[in-house]
Amino acid sequence: MDIDRRNNVTVTGNPHGRTVVLAHGFGCDQNMWRLTVPALAADHRVVTFDYVGCGRSDLSAFSEDRYSTLAGYAADVVEVCEALDLSDAVFVGHSVSAMIGVLAADAAPARIGALVMVSPSPRYVDDIAYRGGFSEQDIDELLQSLESNYLGWSAAMAPVIMGNEDRPELGEELKNSFCATDPDAARVFARTTFLSDSRNDLKTVRVPTLVLECAQDAIAPREVGAFVHRTVPGSTLVTLDATGHCPHLSAPEATNKALTDFLAGLR
């Protein structure tokens, strides 16, 4: 299989620098990193890609069986790394991709040497002594709404996820990204995302890790960031003065500074 074509892989930046892989979240594509790539390109080789079903990926490669677990997406990440023969790359994952990165790093430790988790959540549903931000009923209703009327769900949820009500263009961009995602693939990805529980997987992390959270995030409250930081050995937690679940779009300067400071410390 042509992995580059399947995942619409793009390689830019400094070919002699350490490789940074930027992975988008649910319903998005690699274009969401357009404000981050220029901040990295001078010193790093930058890899962006689209998960199957998103962006300009090869939709014919979609398999509900493969992508019904986060391990299927992590396998794609590993295959992208193998196709590019990456070693010791820094994986930057937004939202659910943070957990996908954890699985990929565990599966291919020689390929991924550091992790950056942007607005991560290992479990969205509340549990005993754990606040994920949603009740089981919340998630059931969210998924039912998405599956019955994906376009309507996208229009309603994008502004909530993005936050920043005073900047409606950001919510509109996220809505358009959701609407551009194949609906069938989105339904599978949504169930995989919102029903996942990766809390125990965090304990497997053995690489330098940066956890980036927003001061206000309706999808991943700060209790989640604190949990991830406590659970990942030796991780660094940075709270951005930002609102919403997508700081790389709503607060790119602060996000890029935290990211580049972390990368500089790895040298």
Side-chain angles (χ1 to χ4, degrees):
M1 179 179 293
D2 183 346
I3 303 300
D4 287 355
R5 179 174 177 271
R6 183 190 69 187
N7 292 103
N8 188 31
V9 177
T10 304
V11 182
T12 57
N14 184 342
H16 305 294
R18 187 171 185 176
T19 300
V20 179
V21 180
L22 301 174
H24 64 81
F26 164 76
C28 300
D29 62 22
Q30 62 185 275
N31 187 56
M32 293 292 174
W33 293 109
R34 68 184 182 280
L35 302 180
T36 299
V37 171
L40 303 177
D43 297 321
H44 297 86
R45 184 186 185 203
V46 183
V47 175
T48 56
F49 68 96
D50 298 329
Y51 288 115
V52 174
C54 303
R56 297 184 177 180
S57 64
D58 181 2
L59 186 56
S60 69
F62 182 77
S63 162
E64 184 169 348
D65 287 342
R66 181 180 178 99
Y67 298 112
S68 62
T69 69
L70 294 184
Y73 293 95
D76 280 12
V77 170
V78 172
E79 289 171 7
V80 168
C81 292
E82 290 174 345
L84 296 175
D85 195 23
L86 302 186
S87 62
D88 202 31
V90 180
F91 182 91
V92 182
H94 171 234
S95 193
V96 66
S97 274
M99 299 305 113
I100 293 170
V102 168
L103 297 177
D106 185 53
R111 301 291 183 183
I112 297 174
L115 294 171
V116 179
M117 304 183 185
V118 182
S119 305
S121 181
R123 177 182 166 108
Y124 294 88
V125 179
D126 297 338
D127 197 6
I128 299 172
Y130 174 83
R131 181 178 178 233
F134 299 87
S135 68
E136 289 187 8
Q137 182 178 349
D138 290 334
I139 295 299
D140 287 343
E141 291 175 353
L142 181 152
L143 293 173
Q144 288 174 13
S145 174
L146 183 151
E147 291 173 3
S148 64
N149 182 2
Y150 179 61
L151 295 182
W153 178 89
S154 299
M157 284 298 298
V160 175
I161 294 170
M162 182 61 72
N164 296 275
E165 294 180 1
D166 58 329
R167 301 162 68 189
E169 69 278 6
L170 294 176
E172 183 70 14
E173 177 177 347
L174 187 59
K175 183 199 78 171
N176 291 338
S177 178
F178 285 165
C179 292
T181 302
D182 178 77
D184 292 332
R187 293 183 186 102
V188 173
F189 200 0
R191 284 197 161 272
T192 303
T193 297
F194 292 110
L195 298 178
S196 63
D197 187 348
S198 301
R199 289 176 294 176
N200 286 333
D201 296 318
L202 294 173
K203 300 173 184 177
T204 69
V205 176
R206 295 292 182 268
V207 297
T209 300
L210 171 64
V211 181
L212 282 182
E213 66 174 5
C214 291
Q216 295 180 321
D217 184 345
I219 304 300
R222 291 188 62 181
E223 292 93 333
V224 174
F227 176 87
V228 174
H229 173 48
R230 287 197 310 270
T231 309
V232 175
S235 62
T236 299
L237 174 65
V238 172
T239 303
L240 301 172
D241 184 15
T243 301
H245 193 57
C246 305
H248 47 316
L249 289 179
S250 62
E253 291 183 2
T255 302
N256 293 343
K257 183 179 186 307
L259 177 55
T260 54
D261 286 350
F262 176 72
L263 292 172
L266 295 176
R267 294 173 182 170

